[in-house]
Structure formats: structure tokens, C-alpha cells
Amino acid sequence: MSYETYFQNNREKHLAELKEWLAIPSISALSEHKPDMVKAAQWLVDKIKQAGLEHVELHETKGHPIITADYLHAPGKPTVLVYGHYDVQPVDPLNLWVTPPFEPDIRDGKLYARGSTDDKGQLFLHIKALEAIIKEEGTLPVNIKLCVEGEEEISSANLPGFLEANKEKLAADAILISDTSLLEKGKPAISTGLRGLCALELHVDTANTDLHSGTYGGGVPNALHAIVSLLASLHDDKGRVTVEGFYDGVPDISPLMKEEFQKLNLNEEQLRESLGLEQLYGEEGFTFVERTGARPTLELNGVYGGFQGEGSKTVIPKEAHAKITCRLVGNQDPAAVLENIKRHLHSHIQPGAKLTIKDGEKARAFNIDPSHRMLQLAADAYEDVYGVRALFTKDGGSIPIVETFSRVLGAPAVLMGFGLPDENLHAPNEHFNLENFDKGLLTIVSYLKRI
């Protein structure tokens, strides 16, 4: 029996099982759902056992459980570690969902539910692909290990320590992850880079109270004036970050990567119009896809202070606040970037204003050479099923645990996603296109056989 026939014959059964899992509200961020986290993890443990994998274990952590399993019956063949997560985002605002987020519903060839594409639906593909090969051929063409966590949506606090403590147990030749998306319908992509991240909040204080702008205006520092001039000092008029040392560790974009970016054929004018902008803006000398995938950024996420109610209130604010995040690339060290920014801010604060800075999260960028054999075979596997070879991209977002996996285990991370960019992950009406559910199963089988 062909795998296409196998999956078609079992399609309704597989979708019914996935619906069961999606119906469990495994929201890692909310403490009241801790029992649901355990229930979702145990459900997966049972399905992994049913699939035929061995040594299935549920590991307790200070947070939510981690699941491991393996199937090691291919001596001399590569070992592939499959990673995914069973936790999901909160569902707010609930009123915007067409159907309840934990009552899975299929409409117009799409499966709607929280977690359908991020990441239960995509992880489920791997379990069923492995099950199919074991049932059809009695064994797997490679050695397989699984590592599934329940804290990806809350920064994977307990997984790095688990990886360090279990290096030998989890050792592999490649880490296979499906938690990304195609470029668009029918156009698969493999990400060769995820930007790192660092964040900070800053607070500017002046007088011990708000002051009357008539009585004191022109004679005392204004917290809003101080913060505006301070934030303006972070970029020059060509969109480049002015912080000394900010670009340390930023690599040039390779000719191969430039070629891959060009293959994306992004229409910047169409993008501009779709966003209702008069023009795009960013670091001079780079295209939109280069700016958003291969260059670092420093962005203001929130600036606030002073009177914001209706009408006028003539005060000089005593305090102002801002939130900043940076997306990092290459070998930028997030801790060093933060220190350089803080040094810049302290040296540019206006006289009479006091600056306080609070560090936020930090994560390194992930990068891999697109010519790596494991990635080239993945691109071939997509072509086997989609009829189009996957393009290599760099994603502007951050998945910190990918870099951790690759660094700790010393193995390439292969990001083979089957979602689509418009599937509302983290938003109301999250869904998974069933065309990619069907093709994803076949692509995973093809990839494992090619390896």
C-alpha cells in the first residue's frame, strides 16, 4: 500500500484523534490549567506508545512535564530528534472566535482550534508519520528520538537545563522541528535563521511631582522631553542604530542567501499598499526581506507618560517610560547588546533627568548554512510532495529554544514547517489548512527515507 493510500484511508481516524488533543485546554501561561497540561501530556504519551515508539517517559519539572521517547533500531543510520510542544497560547479575546477555541471544528478545509497549527497539529504529523512507517514496514529507516515540552509559549524555562542534563540521551545527527510555516499556499520554505532577542524598559524621572507648566515651564526638566530626545538618539537618519558596538557580531549577507532572498520575489510596492503606508522604512542599503530576516533591529514598543485623558492639562510630567526590544542576528551577544544600549542611554540622558533601566529577556540568534546536507534533503522531500523545491529563508521572529537545542546537542536544526502565515497562531480563530496536514505527513515520510 502506498503511503498516500494509507493516510487517506486513516484520515478521518487521525483527524478525530487530533480533535481530542486540541479539545484539551493546555494553556501553559495560566495556573488554573495545570491539570489540563498534565492531561495533554499524558494523552500524547499514550499516542506515542500506540505509534510503536519505545522508552516513552514523562519527566516532571518545576513547571510542566517533558516527554521523551525513542526508536533505535537502525544501526549505522542517522539519528533524528523530533522536537515540539503541547502547550498553547491563551485564547483572549474569546468573543472574536467563530467557534469555541477548544471545540475543534472543520470549515472550508481548515481545522479551527487553539493549537491547531501552533504546535499540536504540526507535532501530531510526526507521530502519525512514524506510526505509518512502523506499521507499513515494521521498522523505521533512521533512529528516532522525541523531546516534547509544555512550556514553549512561556519561554521554555525548564528545557535548557533538561537538555544539558540529558545530552547523551538526546544526542542526534539532526533536530527536526515543525513549528514554522510555508511562504504561502503551495510554496514550502525552510528557515535557516531565527533572530535573537533582548529587551529592556526604561524610566525617566525628574521632579518629585508633576508641575504647572505656566509656573515652572522653561525652568525645569520635562520627563517627556528628556525621554523623546533620548530615544531619538538611538537611530540616525538612515535607519541605522547609533549605539556603539551594536553591530558587533553581525555578518554580511552571503551571496547564496541574497540569491535565496531574491527568489522570494517580494513585491515591496504591493506590501506597502497592503499596509496603507506612504513608504516602507528601514536601514538604508537593504531590501525589506533583508531588513526583516538578516539584519538586527532596535524597536520602540511603547512610550508613555504625562496626561493622556480627554482635553488639555497643562502639566510638566515628572516621569516617562519606554519599552524597547532588539532583534539580533549572527553572533550578536544579547547581554553585550544590552550593556551597550544602557551605556548609550546613560551618556545621552538630559541634565536634570534620572534614568532607571530594567533588563528583559535575552536570547541568541539561530543560524545554519543552507547548503547543509540535512537541509538540502529536506528541500528535496518538499519537492517530492509539493512539486516545488523549498526555498531557504530567514525568519524575523525568535524561537530561542531552537538555538539552545542546536548549541547544546551540537546538531543542525531543520525547520520543516507546514503552517501558513495567515493561520492566526496566537490570535482568535487559529486554524490549520488540511491540505498541509495531508501533504505534511507525506513530506515527513519522504524526508526520513531520504536521510
Side-chain angles (χ1 to χ4, degrees):
M1 183 189 301
S2 72
Y3 282 100
E4 192 167 359
T5 302
Y6 173 91
F7 288 125
Q8 193 58 43
N9 289 347
N10 286 278
R11 190 173 193 263
E12 293 308 312
K13 175 176 175 287
H14 289 166
L15 286 175
E17 289 180 3
L18 178 54
K19 284 182 175 181
E20 283 181 15
W21 199 25
L22 292 171
I24 303 171
S26 50
I27 304 172
S28 54
L30 302 178
S31 58
E32 63 262 34
H33 285 284
K34 192 169 180 62
D36 296 311
M37 295 299 299
V38 175
K39 183 178 179 182
Q42 190 58 59
W43 186 97
L44 183 58
V45 164
D46 294 342
K47 292 303 174 188
I48 292 171
K49 289 178 179 177
Q50 290 173 22
L53 275 72
E54 301 169 342
H55 308 117
V56 187
E57 296 181 72
L58 190 69
H59 305 268
E60 296 297 332
T61 73
K62 291 180 180 178
H64 303 303
I66 293 172
I67 300 164
T68 60
D70 61 41
Y71 192 93
L72 308 175
H73 299 288
K77 303 293 184 180
T79 298
V80 177
L81 173 69
V82 176
Y83 162 78
H85 63 93
Y86 62 87
D87 64 322
V88 302
Q89 283 276 332
V91 299
D92 314 84
L94 187 59
N95 64 299
L96 295 183
W97 287 80
V98 173
T99 50
F102 296 109
E103 295 179 18
D105 184 51
I106 295 176
R107 305 191 299 275
D108 302 320
K110 302 170 184 177
L111 174 56
Y112 286 82
R114 175 57 90 226
S116 56
T117 190
D118 181 23
D119 178 44
K120 285 180 177 177
Q122 296 201 57
L123 174 59
F124 185 78
L125 296 178
H126 290 276
I127 307 305
K128 290 303 160 184
L130 294 170
E131 180 181 70
I133 300 173
I134 293 172
K135 284 187 175 181
E136 289 295 288
E137 303 186 30
T139 190
L140 295 175
V142 295
N143 299 296
I144 287 289
K145 296 179 180 180
L146 295 185
C147 181
V148 182
E149 68 160 324
E151 298 180 335
E152 194 273 345
E153 301 293 4
I154 52 173
S155 302
S156 302
N158 291 290
L159 187 54
F162 183 84
L163 296 180
E164 291 282 0
N166 292 274
K167 284 183 186 179
E168 187 174 338
K169 178 186 181 72
L170 298 173
D173 297 294
I175 302 140
L176 181 55
I177 302 172
S178 295
D179 197 11
T180 52
S181 67
L182 283 68
L183 286 173
E184 58 185 65
K185 178 181 168 65
K187 293 181 69 174
I190 298 170
S191 177
T192 65
L194 296 163
R195 291 196 286 190
L197 181 72
C198 65
L200 65 153
E201 294 184 27
L202 58 103
H203 308 277
V204 172
D205 295 285
T206 52
N208 56 12
T209 184
D210 287 352
L211 298 169
H212 190 288
S213 66
T215 305
Y216 293 94
V220 296
N222 180 314
L224 283 176
H225 291 185
I227 203 168
V228 168
S229 66
L230 184 60
L231 298 177
S233 75
L234 292 168
H235 294 85
D236 64 19
D237 59 1
K238 295 182 179 179
R240 189 173 171 85
V241 177
T242 56
V243 174
E244 185 176 348
F246 181 81
Y247 290 96
D248 291 351
V250 176
D252 292 333
I253 304 173
S254 70
L256 175 59
M257 206 63 239
K258 278 186 173 290
E259 187 179 327
E260 290 295 321
F261 281 146
Q262 289 169 358
K263 290 178 184 177
L264 300 179
N265 292 321
L266 178 74
N267 187 324
E268 291 196 4
E269 181 61 19
Q270 188 176 42
L271 174 67
R272 180 195 66 77
E273 290 182 359
S274 71
L275 296 175
L277 293 169
E278 291 188 4
Q279 67 179 65
L280 299 177
Y281 178 79
E283 187 182 1
E284 193 173 274
F286 298 95
T287 66
F288 178 85
V289 292
E290 290 170 346
R291 290 169 181 164
T292 57
R295 296 295 295 171
T297 65
L298 187 158
E299 298 285 353
L300 308 181
N301 307 124
V303 180
Y304 50 101
F307 177 67
Q308 297 174 51
E310 184 179 355
S312 168
K313 184 180 182 184
T314 54
V315 294
I316 298 173
K318 74 179 185 71
E319 61 184 61
H321 315 272
K323 295 176 183 287
I324 297 174
T325 53
C326 300
R327 299 289 179 170
L328 310 177
V329 300
N331 292 316
Q332 281 181 292
D333 180 347
V337 170
L338 278 177
E339 287 307 309
N340 288 335
I341 294 173
K342 288 191 284 189
R343 190 177 301 113
H344 175 99
L345 292 171
H346 280 295
S347 66
H348 285 75
I349 189 69
Q350 281 186 359
K354 184 176 70 174
L355 178 64
T356 306
I357 300 173
K358 178 184 176 184
D359 288 4
E361 57 188 312
K362 296 184 282 288
R364 285 185 172 272
F366 163 74
N367 296 282
I368 187 170
D369 187 338
S371 66
H372 196 290
R373 176 177 177 269
M374 287 294 187
L375 271 67
Q376 290 295 320
L377 291 175
D380 293 337
Y382 274 116
E383 188 172 17
D384 290 341
V385 177
Y386 284 83
V388 179
R389 199 166 190 271
L391 293 177
F392 296 102
T393 65
K394 286 189 179 294
D395 290 347
S398 306
I399 309 178
I401 201 61
V402 175
E403 186 274 338
T404 306
F405 259 110
S406 187
R407 173 171 45 81
V408 173
L409 300 183
V414 183
L415 299 174
M416 291 185 74
F418 299 99
L420 284 175
D422 62 355
E423 288 180 335
N424 290 7
L425 62 164
H426 293 203
N429 302 309
E430 179 182 347
H431 57 277
F432 190 19
N433 281 262
L434 294 184
E435 174 187 357
N436 293 320
F437 177 89
D438 297 330
K439 290 183 174 180
L441 290 163
L442 295 170
T443 303
I444 292 168
V445 171
S446 173
Y447 183 49
L448 297 179
K449 285 177 166 291
R450 280 183 171 276
I451 294 175

